[in-house]
């Protein structure tokens, strides 16, 4: 038998013995980024389809969460930077080769748009929260007063309200870029075999859309809208499971390092947490619950929604951590 | 001008002089290194085969680190040397993820740091610090475009390999075997 021992004299912090430079910030950002992309996409898509009055929550109400989750993501990203005082360097150049540059610019544009969209629906949001606590109502009132008292802000919002249709198209495209970007960010690294597959972009997009759909159906007060999003979510879960199977089939049919990467999930150290936590709890169980709901059983919508969110978050944590374990040996 | 280095695995004794010379010359912070020794043992006792390598940034021709850098802090200078501008680096770690050789690290001050092929010395016509101190003369530095340079001659006369060629990086550090 041939044995091999490699001893390296290198012991760099965060790099040896196993690469560990991205911690909780990146997976958290990938999660909220994907969710924001979904909230913005669904609102834009159903607005373009002219179903804004029918699907009130997704078009008018839920997008109010988008700027908040994007801010959480931006804070996480800033905390991840080791040279944070220089973050503005991202906006001094456009680098088409670098997914991170794409992401930075997309976030830079989508952030203000995500604030403006709910501002054009202030009246409807006020109505939705009319039974909520004093603090929420006070906050909405404060925002409304501010918009009304600052002339240019009011005119801007009026202008965007007028051109909402065009804005919806821009939002839909940017949301898709943002959603795909969360996966492409990882797949662009050829040095980490687990990430280096082009299916990761679509997989993260679909996973993000399903977390967004979960949030919308959780927030919705109309049975019809809940049913529609429950169905959308079911479809997304089916596609996601297909992509996951596809991911591992691709790895097993690939080179040595990628077969090794797949083994981490097929008997290796991430097997249990991935198949039980992500696939069972995050995909299969919510899919079963949603199917039961469609057949008339009453299931509190918060259960499948929460499971999908947990599964989505866990999926990103596992992918980011496991990806850094995989490498080329020479 | 294409700078390259050859490393003779048959001559290296693993003394780590190159590592210390680099740390001293480049003021590398304590606990960090820009080059390092790898000892690879194959076989079953007593039938063993050992290879010693002095590794560093490979100053690749196809640079995944430069490609993924969102600000352009990672860049290639004259002669194909890959460098980082600290004032442009935001410390996002993309280049560290992108490097199959893990030859980059976060400097304690936040920016990404790595081997520079001692470009400050090379500019003055000197060789790199690691090459200058190597007691067995297993390291050689030179210009690939010049057919009469020492590296070109060694690559013609000797068998060699590069690390992880399957990543498509086209390294400029060659290991003579």
């Amino acid at each position: 038998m041939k044995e091999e021992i490699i001893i390296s004299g290198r012991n760099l912090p965060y790099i040896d013995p196993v690469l560990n430079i991205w911690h909780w910030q990146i997976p958290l950002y990938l999660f909220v980024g994907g969710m924001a992309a979904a909230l913005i996409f669904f609102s834009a898509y159903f607005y373009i389809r002219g179903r804004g009055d029918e699907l009130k929550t997704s078009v008018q109400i839920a997008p109010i969460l988008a700027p908040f989750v994007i801010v959480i993501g931006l804070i996480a990203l800033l905390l991840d930077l080791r040279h944070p005082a220089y973050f503005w360097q991202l906006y001094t150049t456009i680098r088409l080769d670098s997914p991170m540059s794409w992401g930075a610019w997309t976030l830079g544009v989508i952030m203000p748009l995500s604030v403006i969209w709910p501002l054009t629906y202030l009246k409807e949001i006020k109505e939705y929260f009319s039974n909520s606590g004093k603090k929420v109502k006070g906050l909405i009132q404060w925002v409304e007063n501010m918009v009304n008292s600052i002339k240019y802000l009011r005119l801007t919002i009026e202008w965007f309200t007028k051109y909402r249709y065009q804005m919806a198209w821009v939002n839909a495209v940017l949301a898709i870029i943002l959603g795909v970007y969360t996966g492409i960010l990882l797949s662009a690294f050829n040095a980490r075999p687990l990430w280096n597959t082009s299916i990761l972009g679509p997989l993260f997009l679909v996973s993000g859309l399903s977390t967004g759909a979960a949030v919308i159906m959780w927030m919705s007060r109309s049975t019809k809208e809940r049913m529609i999003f429950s169905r959308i979510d079911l479809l997304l879960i089916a596609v996601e499971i297909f992509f996951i199977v596809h991911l591992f089939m691709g790895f097993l049919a690939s080179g040595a390092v990628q077969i090794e990467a797949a083994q981490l999930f097929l008997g290796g150290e991430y097997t249990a947490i991935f198949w039980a936590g992500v696939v069972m709890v995050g995909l299969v169980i919510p899919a079963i619950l949603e199917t039961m709901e469609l057949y008339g059983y009453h299931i509190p919508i918060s259960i499948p929604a929460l499971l999908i969110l947990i599964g989505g978050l866990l999926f990103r944590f596992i992918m980011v951590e496991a990806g850094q374990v995989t490498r080329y040996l020479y | 001008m294409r700078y390259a280095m050859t490393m003779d695995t048959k001559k290296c004794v693993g003394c780590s002089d190159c590592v210390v010379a680099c740390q001293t010359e480049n003021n590398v912070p304590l606990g960090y290194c820009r080059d390092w020794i790898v000892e690879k043992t194959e076989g079953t006792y007593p039938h063993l085969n050992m290879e010693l390598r002095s590794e560093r940034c490979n100053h690749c021709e196809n640079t995944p680190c430069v490609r993924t850098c969102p600000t352009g802090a990672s860049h290639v200078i004259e002669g194909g040397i890959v460098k980082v501008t600290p004032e442009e680096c935001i410390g996002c770690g993309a280049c560290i993820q992108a490097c199959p050789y893990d030859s980059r690290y976060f400097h304690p001050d936040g920016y990404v740091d790595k081997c520079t092929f001692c470009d400050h010395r090379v500019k003055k016509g000197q060789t790199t610090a690691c090459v200058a101190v190597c007691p067995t003369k297993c390291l050689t530095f030179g210009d690939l475009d010049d057919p009469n340079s020492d590296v070109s001659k060694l690559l013609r006369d000797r068998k060699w390999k590069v690390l992880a060629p399957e990543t498509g990086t086209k390294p400029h550090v060659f290991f003579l075997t």
Side-chain angles (χ1 to χ4, degrees):
Chain A
M1 201 185 89
K2 189 177 164 188
E3 284 173 37
E4 191 178 285
I5 304 171
I6 297 175
I7 300 169
S8 173
R10 190 183 65 190
N11 191 20
L12 292 169
Y14 305 111
I15 290 172
D16 298 304
V18 170
L19 192 70
N20 184 26
I21 54 164
W22 282 354
H23 307 117
W24 58 271
Q25 297 95 333
I26 297 290
L28 178 67
Y29 161 69
L30 297 180
F31 176 71
V32 293
M35 189 200 285
L39 293 173
I40 293 167
F41 176 77
F42 284 128
S43 67
Y45 176 75
F46 286 115
Y47 183 83
I48 292 167
R49 294 285 303 270
R51 298 172 75 176
D53 293 320
E54 185 191 346
L55 303 172
K56 263 198 161 73
T57 316
S58 75
V59 175
Q60 303 172 355
I61 313 297
I64 200 176
L65 290 177
F68 292 101
V69 293
I70 292 178
V71 165
I72 294 174
L74 288 176
I75 291 171
L77 281 185
L78 207 61
L79 287 176
D80 170 69
L81 298 183
R82 309 296 162 102
H83 224 194
Y86 292 81
F87 82 94
W88 49 270
Q89 286 282 2
L90 284 168
Y91 296 103
T92 58
T93 169
I94 294 179
R95 302 189 63 85
L96 296 178
D97 279 354
S98 163
M100 222 180 251
S101 182
W102 274 85
W105 281 101
T106 309
L107 276 175
V109 180
I110 213 166
M111 176 71 217
L113 287 178
S114 76
V115 175
I116 290 167
W117 183 271
L119 284 182
T120 67
Y121 280 115
L122 255 185
K123 213 175 76 201
E124 287 82 356
I125 290 167
K126 208 171 159 186
E127 197 186 299
Y128 178 91
F129 287 104
S130 59
N131 295 324
S132 303
K134 247 190 187 154
K135 274 185 187 158
V136 178
K137 271 158 75 179
L139 183 69
I140 296 169
Q141 193 59 49
W142 181 76
V143 172
E144 197 179 16
N145 291 343
M146 203 171 67
V147 171
N148 287 334
S149 58
I150 303 171
K151 192 183 159 202
Y152 288 105
L153 193 59
R154 199 182 67 229
L155 290 176
T156 314
I157 300 300
E158 275 167 12
W159 188 82
F160 275 105
T161 312
K162 206 170 128 200
Y163 291 104
R164 219 184 245 153
Y165 183 78
Q166 285 79 354
M167 187 185 171
W169 269 105
V170 175
N171 272 356
V173 173
L174 286 176
I176 293 286
I177 295 178
L178 182 64
V180 173
Y181 153 71
T182 60
I184 295 205
L185 173 71
L186 300 181
S187 72
F189 299 120
N190 137 339
R192 314 293 152 205
L194 179 69
W195 294 345
N196 190 217
T197 161
S198 49
I199 199 78
L200 228 54
L203 176 55
F204 272 68
L205 173 67
V206 173
S207 168
L209 286 177
S210 105
T211 57
V215 169
I216 293 170
M217 67 186 191
W218 198 351
M219 283 181 79
S220 179
R221 286 172 187 169
S222 114
T223 323
K224 195 180 167 218
E225 190 176 13
R226 276 212 300 264
M227 282 303 214
I228 289 174
F229 273 90
S230 200
R231 255 179 235 157
I232 291 175
D233 209 49
L234 263 179
L235 179 71
L236 291 169
I237 287 176
V239 175
E240 205 179 327
I241 291 176
F242 166 72
F243 279 169
I244 287 175
V245 173
H246 199 56
L247 175 82
F248 288 110
M249 278 173 65
F251 280 146
L252 292 175
S254 198
V257 284
Q258 291 196 310
I259 294 174
E260 220 168 86
Q263 294 302 346
L264 282 178
F265 294 85
L266 304 170
E269 57 177 310
Y270 294 97
T271 312
I273 183 84
F274 183 78
W275 295 101
V278 177
V279 177
M280 281 307 289
V281 173
L283 297 171
V284 175
I285 294 177
I288 293 171
L289 293 177
E290 280 171 3
T291 316
M292 284 167 72
E293 173 98 31
L294 288 180
Y295 280 100
Y297 291 92
H298 184 69
I299 286 151
I301 200 79
S302 54
I303 297 175
L306 193 64
L307 291 180
I308 288 166
L309 293 180
I310 292 172
L313 189 60
L314 195 60
F315 173 59
R316 284 158 180 79
F317 267 89
I318 293 175
M319 284 306 280
V320 169
E321 196 187 299
Q324 296 182 88
V325 173
T326 61
R327 55 165 300 177
Y328 282 86
L329 271 186
Y330 44 83
Chain B
M1 189 78 97
R2 271 191 306 153
Y3 288 118
M5 188 178 280
T6 59
M7 192 268 138
D8 194 337
T9 59
K10 292 280 185 270
K11 276 190 191 168
C12 180
V13 292
C15 67
S16 293
D17 245 15
C18 49
V19 181
V20 177
C22 172
Q23 287 165 330
T24 315
E25 171 72 27
N26 295 300
N27 240 330
V28 178
L30 207 64
Y32 293 77
C33 59
R34 293 181 180 183
D35 56 352
W36 57 92
I37 299 291
V38 170
E39 184 185 313
K40 186 177 168 184
T41 311
E42 279 176 329
T44 318
Y45 181 82
H47 310 290
L48 296 170
N49 173 34
M50 185 170 77
E51 179 179 280
L52 285 162
R53 294 195 300 252
S54 163
E55 292 183 8
R56 58 194 45 60
C57 167
N58 285 281
H59 296 276
C60 306
E61 208 167 301
N62 178 16
T63 45
C65 48
V66 173
R67 197 175 63 233
T68 47
C69 176
T71 66
S74 275
H75 61 287
V76 182
I77 62 165
E78 173 79 32
I81 298 176
V82 181
K83 285 198 73 179
V84 180
T85 314
E87 296 78 29
E88 284 179 23
C89 177
I90 60 172
C92 67
C95 56
I96 300 182
Q97 297 285 10
C99 177
Y101 310 106
D102 293 339
S103 58
R104 295 167 161 250
Y105 57 86
F106 284 119
H107 189 282
D109 289 347
Y111 56 87
V112 167
D113 203 19
K114 65 183 284 298
C115 161
T116 59
F117 255 0
C118 282
D119 67 320
H120 61 290
R121 289 172 56 98
V122 172
K123 248 185 272 170
K124 288 187 273 181
Q126 293 169 315
T127 186
T128 70
C130 49
V131 171
V133 299
C134 180
T136 64
K137 305 261 181 286
C138 73
L139 290 166
T140 313
F141 182 80
D143 180 8
L144 275 185
D145 282 342
D146 173 8
N148 294 318
S149 70
D150 290 343
V151 285
S152 298
K153 281 184 200 157
L154 279 166
L155 292 175
R156 268 202 307 272
D157 296 345
R158 297 278 302 270
K159 282 194 173 152
W160 53 264
K161 65 173 179 186
V162 291
L163 300 180
E166 62 273 29
T167 55
T169 49
K170 297 189 184 158
H172 275 179
V173 175
F174 302 88
F175 294 86
L176 307 174
T177 54

